Amino acid sequence: MSTSNTSAHIIATGSQDDMDQDGISVSEFVAIIRPHFRKIAALALAGGAIAYGISHLIAPTFTARAVIVSPQQQQNAAAAALASLGNLAGLAGGSSALKSPADQYVSIMQSVTVGNRIIDRFKLMDLYAAKFRVDALNGLSDNVRISTGKKTT
């Protein structure tokens, strides 16, 4: 027999039993799995049901990230004069600890006014079971992180 006739004969008769490269045939694999098919299917379904149940027991965690880009400031003569006062602005009641516009935005976001609006909008008094607004503000500050990014100057 020639090579093409031998391969055609093997395919037609199945004498190689669909051998793959590892030496186990598909029909042998099916013969091994067939008696245990119900157990395997039941275990897979039970595992899926357990994973589904555990996923509902885990408390949901939400993460939000916002990027606030401060507007470019144009330096005119009045702004340059105010900037040169620097330390005197602190004496006049301005905040000398704020070094950049990004720090100003962070302080605005951490203010009590913004916190109160968030508490009212998302009904955090009920969620935190807080009797006083201060308790809700403390709960909000425990769950929120506000910081400047790496590229701020």
Side-chain angles (χ1 to χ4, degrees):
M1 285 185 150
S2 68
T3 309
S4 61
N5 287 340
T6 305
S7 61
H9 177 64
I10 290 173
I11 292 171
T13 59
S15 63
Q16 289 281 330
D17 285 335
D18 300 328
M19 293 287 266
D20 64 2
Q21 294 171 353
D22 292 335
I24 187 168
S25 67
V26 175
S27 60
E28 289 174 353
F29 181 72
V30 170
I32 293 169
I33 297 295
R34 183 177 288 148
H36 306 290
F37 178 74
R38 287 188 178 165
K39 290 179 193 174
I40 293 170
L43 285 174
L45 287 174
I50 290 170
Y52 181 76
I54 290 173
S55 70
H56 282 287
L57 292 176
I58 297 172
T61 302
F62 301 100
T63 301
R65 177 166 285 170
V67 177
I68 300 173
V69 179
S70 59
Q72 294 291 334
Q73 295 182 356
Q74 297 178 356
Q75 288 289 331
N76 57 18
L82 287 175
S84 68
L85 292 176
N87 293 332
L88 293 177
L91 294 174
S95 176
S96 62
L98 299 178
K99 297 179 178 88
S100 70
D103 292 332
Q104 290 176 342
Y105 286 115
V106 168
S107 65
I108 289 170
M109 295 302 294
Q110 291 174 339
S111 70
V112 175
T113 304
V114 172
N116 286 334
R117 297 252 176 126
I118 292 172
I119 288 170
D120 292 339
R121 179 170 181 178
F122 297 108
K123 298 179 179 134
L124 296 182
M125 294 285 288
D126 298 333
L127 181 69
Y128 294 140
K131 187 174 183 180
F132 301 107
R133 189 170 289 272
V134 174
D135 298 331
L137 279 169
N138 289 336
L140 178 64
S141 66
D142 290 342
N143 291 320
V144 173
R145 284 188 314 231
I146 300 172
S147 63
T148 59
K150 297 176 186 174
K151 294 183 180 181
T152 58
T153 57

